[in-house]
């Protein structure tokens, strides 16, 4: 479902602080790939983007800066984790280094974009140096949907806190939005979530009390806060930071949202010293962007209320204004889009688009159809290209291959399984062993595969099998489609986010009939109940495998659709969503304008 809103750039380039645990150095998941794509697209649109990311200590520094204004990579000791064991605390501590905080203060961002819950602690650590820039929570994946035990307690607490602290929450699919509203927004961050918030509060207090307090700091957050003191003092000395003039101590017992917000250290209640009583911006900063700062009491991203001690306590600024997260579909990344698609299917995609408008019969393009079907028939692979980790459920693919082998379908149909298996932990090794036992000729790729090599594999793939019953998006579905490899995806009412872009037959037909789509109404992805017994799924896959005309038509439509939503459109839509959130915040505040902590008047 392509967004219907008009896509347009803002009148003035924005300065964006982009905080992501995973980025270009040692990127190992779709989250890191998407973060790189968004930075590249925002920079290409003329915005200045300052990236603060983590990076494994052993990784080499990539040469490509993706057009970013600056990239600071904080070394961390652990990697290849996107769960509670990820080095998010270590990342936040590194982000508090004076060299980082001084650079952020000098950059004076107008917005802070934070990727997932794992960036929240770093967002908080840098908040004193951002002049009250509003926080935009880029929720690439709702981690609490797949977390369990103590991980669930921690992650859901931080995801809830991120939503409460953000001007805007952006998710990848309708399914994730619904889940966030029903199970995350406004929920108490209990147990480990509260503990994490309290540690962050203690770190801010240690920073406020100076280096002496840092000597006794026991938590990473305390150490990080104390470490940041020198940077804040230096920034204030040269006039680059005006958000801490009244920062006070915060009460972590006031509830999860309040404790989480308090960790940012904003509690002045009066706005920055740059915000004059007459409401006019400081003369040193007169430029105005078309995306206005939000109206809130502090002039920063947090509302303060007077406390008994006169220092104030903080609450999440937008908690009084419950907002539904917005959907922003990830774009096909540019380096993949630039790779040439297979000629036969590309020609069929063009023919289908032309026929839709001319009402001609497809039979008139018999040569084009024959060429596309020949390409599809020559493809030997049934591929599974997902990370070999439990949340992606790759065992479902192995089970289907085992069922096909038991029924003699692999040999009879000439199916060769392909698995992207770079992981080498016990879970991954067991899956690869099972696949080899069921299909000795299976191709298992044991190392990292770049875009060009992956495109070659997709051009040899007749069907791409995407195994999880839930996936925030599933970018490999779109990447496969861009090379004419249609995917089998779970039919879960949008539980796999990519089906908001590439649709099954019923959804595509409904969109075409309502006039909301340029599609002819035919399917762009094959929806099956992948939770059914493996034997049933195997039979359904076999039926698709043998239906070359259907495969070719679906592949051509999927190819065109995947390439229609690019990085530039994604970035423009993201900025438009931020602008909309700002306008809504101003309206709900009852004020026609506001004064930001950095003096940007409206």
């Amino acid at each position: 479902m392509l967004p219907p809103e008009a896509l347009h750039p803002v009148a003035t380039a924005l300065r964006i602080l982009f905080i992501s645990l995973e980025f270009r150095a040692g990127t190992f998941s779709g989250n890191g790939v998407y973060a790189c794509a968004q930075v590249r697209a925002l920079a290409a649109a003329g915005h200045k983007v300052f990236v603060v990311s983590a990076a494994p200590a052993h990784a080499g520094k990539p040469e490509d800066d993706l057009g970013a204004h600056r990239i600071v990579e904080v070394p961390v000791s652990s990697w290849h984790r996107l769960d509670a064991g990820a080095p998010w605390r270590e990342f936040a501590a590194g982000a508090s280094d004076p060299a980082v905080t001084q650079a952020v203060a000098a950059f004076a961002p107008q917005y802070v974009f934070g990727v997932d819950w794992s960036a929240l602690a770093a967002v908080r650590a840098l908040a004193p140096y951002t002049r009250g820039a509003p926080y935009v929570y880029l929720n690439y994946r709702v981690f609490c949907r797949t977390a369990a035990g103590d991980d669930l307690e921690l992650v859901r607490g931080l995801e809830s806190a991120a939503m409460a602290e953000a001007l805007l929450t952006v998710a990848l699919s309708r399914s994730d939005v619904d889940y966030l509203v029903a199970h995350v927004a406004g929920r108490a961050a209990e147990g480990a979530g509260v503990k994490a918030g309290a540690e962050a509060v203690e770190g801010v207090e240690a920073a406020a009390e100076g280096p002496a307090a840092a000597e006794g700091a026991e938590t990473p957050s305390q150490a990080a806060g104390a470490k940041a003191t020198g940077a804040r003092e230096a920034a204030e000395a040269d006039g680059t930071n005006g958000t801490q003039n009244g920062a006070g101590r915060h009460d972590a017992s006031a509830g999860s949202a309040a404790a989480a917000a308090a960790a940012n250290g904003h509690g002045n209640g009066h706005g920055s010293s740059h915000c004059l009583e007459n409401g006019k911006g400081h003369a040193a900063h007169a430029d105005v962007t078309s995306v206005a700062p939000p109206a809130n009491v502090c002039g920063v991203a947090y509302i303060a209320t007077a406390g008994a001690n006169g220092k104030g306590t903080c609450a999440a600024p937008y908690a009084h204004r419950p907002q539904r997260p917005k959907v922003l579909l990830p774009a096909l990344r540019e380096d993949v889009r630039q790779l040439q698609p297979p000629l036969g299917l590309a020609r069929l995609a063009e023919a289908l688009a032309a026929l839709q408008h001319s009402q001609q019969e497809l039979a008139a393009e018999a040569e084009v159809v024959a060429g596309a079907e020949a390409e599809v028939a020559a493809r030997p692979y049934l591929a599974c290209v997902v990370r070999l980790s439990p949340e992606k459920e790759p065992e479902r693919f192995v089970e289907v291959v085992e069922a096909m082998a038991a029924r003699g379908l692999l040999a009879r149909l000439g199916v060769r399984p392909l698995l992207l298996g770079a992981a080498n932990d016990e879970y991954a090794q067991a899956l690869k062993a099972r696949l080899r036992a069921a299909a000795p000729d299976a191709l298992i790729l044991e190392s990292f595969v770049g875009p060009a090599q992956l495109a070659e594999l997709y051009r040899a793939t007749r069907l791409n099998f995407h195994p999880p019953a839930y996936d925030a998006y599933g970018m490999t579905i779109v990447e496969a489609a861009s090379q004419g490899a249609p995917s089998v995806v779970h039919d879960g009412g949008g539980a796999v986010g990519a089906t908001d872009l590439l649709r099954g037959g019923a959804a595509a037909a409904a969109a075409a009939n309502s006039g909301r789509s340029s599609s002819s109404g035919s399917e762009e992805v094959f929806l099956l109940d992948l939770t059914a017994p493996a034997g049933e799924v195997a039979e359904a896959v076999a039926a698709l495998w043998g239906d070359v005309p259907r495969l070719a038509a679906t592949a051509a439509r999927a190819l065109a659709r995947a390439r229609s939503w690019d990085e530039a459109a994604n970035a423009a839509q993201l900025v438009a969503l931020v602008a909309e959130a700002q306008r809504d915040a101003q309206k709900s505040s009852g004020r026609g304008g506001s004064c930001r902590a950095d003096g940007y008047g409206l």
Side-chain angles (χ1 to χ4, degrees), residues 515-572:
R516 291 187 289 108
S517 170
S518 61
S519 168
S520 66
S522 296
E523 62 199 347
E524 298 155 343
V525 69
F526 301 114
L527 296 179
L528 298 176
D529 179 6
L530 298 187
T531 64
E536 293 181 18
V537 179
E539 293 290 349
V541 168
L544 286 173
W545 185 273
D547 193 346
V548 171
R550 183 182 177 188
L551 284 170
T554 301
R557 292 189 176 94
L559 183 152
R561 188 71 167 173
R563 289 172 173 270
S564 70
W565 183 238
D566 61 13
E567 289 183 1
N570 174 279

Side-chain angles (χ1 to χ4, degrees), residues 302-503:
Y302 298 87
I303 297 173
T305 58
N309 60 7
K311 294 184 178 180
T313 57
C314 288
Y318 309 108
H320 69 290
R321 182 180 63 87
Q323 56 173 326
R324 186 175 179 83
K326 301 294 185 180
V327 175
L328 179 65
L329 305 181
L332 178 68
R333 70 187 209 238
E334 192 61 21
D335 53 354
V336 174
R337 196 180 71 85
Q338 290 296 331
L339 297 171
Q340 291 299 312
L343 179 61
L345 287 168
R347 290 181 62 197
L348 179 56
E350 293 173 359
L352 289 171
L355 290 169
Q356 178 187 344
H357 299 293
S358 67
Q359 303 299 315
Q360 299 176 38
E361 291 294 329
L362 186 58
E365 300 289 344
E367 182 181 347
V368 173
V369 172
E373 291 180 358
E375 279 188 353
V376 168
R379 296 179 168 198
Y381 293 130
L382 172 65
C384 179
V385 185
V386 297
R387 190 171 65 254
L388 295 188
S389 56
E391 68 269 15
K392 292 293 186 179
E393 301 182 272
E395 67 273 10
R396 183 170 284 125
F397 172 72
V398 175
E399 290 168 0
V400 169
V401 170
E402 288 171 336
M404 293 182 75
R407 288 164 168 75
L409 294 172
L410 296 182
R412 178 160 61 84
L413 298 175
V415 178
R416 187 181 182 192
L418 183 157
L419 180 68
L420 194 62
N424 287 306
D425 58 19
E426 184 177 351
Y427 174 82
Q429 292 289 9
L431 285 179
K432 288 185 275 190
R434 285 175 58 187
L435 185 63
R436 290 189 181 98
D441 69 336
L443 176 60
I444 300 176
L445 301 175
E446 301 276 4
S447 59
F448 175 79
V449 176
Q453 184 182 357
L454 192 57
E456 290 181 12
L457 295 172
Y458 284 140
R459 283 194 290 268
T461 295
R462 190 182 300 197
L463 266 178
N464 178 55
F465 189 97
H466 194 74
Y470 159 73
D471 199 340
Y473 194 66
M475 182 52 74
T476 57
I477 299 169
V478 182
E479 292 177 351
S482 74
Q483 292 296 329
S487 293
V488 171
V489 181
H490 178 60
D491 187 1
V496 178
T499 59
D500 277 355
L501 179 69
L502 300 170
R503 293 154 308 180

Side-chain angles (χ1 to χ4, degrees), residues 184-249:
V184 179
R187 292 180 66 95
E190 299 174 352
V194 164
K195 182 179 179 182
E199 286 184 0
V201 173
E202 292 165 3
V204 170
E205 291 175 353
E209 293 170 5
E215 294 177 4
E218 297 179 356
T219 69
S221 296
Q222 287 176 319
K227 198 174 183 182
T229 303
R232 182 174 66 251
E233 291 173 349
E236 289 173 345
D238 84 353
T240 58
N241 189 322
T243 64
Q244 293 297 303
N245 57 313
R249 189 178 298 270

Side-chain angles (χ1 to χ4, degrees), residues 16-161:
I16 300 167
L17 178 63
F18 194 98
I19 303 176
S20 176
L21 178 74
E22 187 187 355
F23 196 59
R24 61 174 188 167
T27 300
F28 63 90
S29 80
N31 291 45
V33 170
Y34 187 28
C36 290
Q38 283 202 316
V39 167
R40 179 170 52 226
L42 288 165
H47 305 292
K48 285 189 174 181
V49 187
F50 183 153
V51 180
V52 177
S53 70
H58 62 272
K61 190 170 183 178
E63 295 182 3
D64 187 1
D65 63 6
L66 305 169
H69 172 74
R70 183 170 181 178
I71 300 175
V72 172
E73 290 166 339
V74 175
V76 293
S77 57
S78 63
W79 205 234
H80 294 104
R81 296 289 295 272
L82 283 180
D83 54 20
W88 58 280
R89 292 183 180 88
E90 192 178 359
F91 176 38
S96 300
D97 186 277
V100 181
T101 59
Q102 288 177 19
V104 168
F107 180 65
Q110 292 163 287
Y111 295 92
V112 177
F113 290 5
V115 175
D116 292 329
W117 68 268
S118 56
L120 180 60
V123 170
R124 291 169 171 172
L126 289 170
Y129 312 98
T130 63
R131 301 184 179 187
Y135 164 43
V136 175
Y137 175 31
L138 301 179
N139 192 339
Y140 286 179
R141 177 175 141 206
V142 183
F143 283 78
C144 68
R145 290 188 74 162
T146 54
D150 291 342
D151 281 11
L152 173 59
E153 204 171 355
L154 171 69
V155 171
R156 183 162 57 195
L158 291 174
E159 287 180 326
S160 177

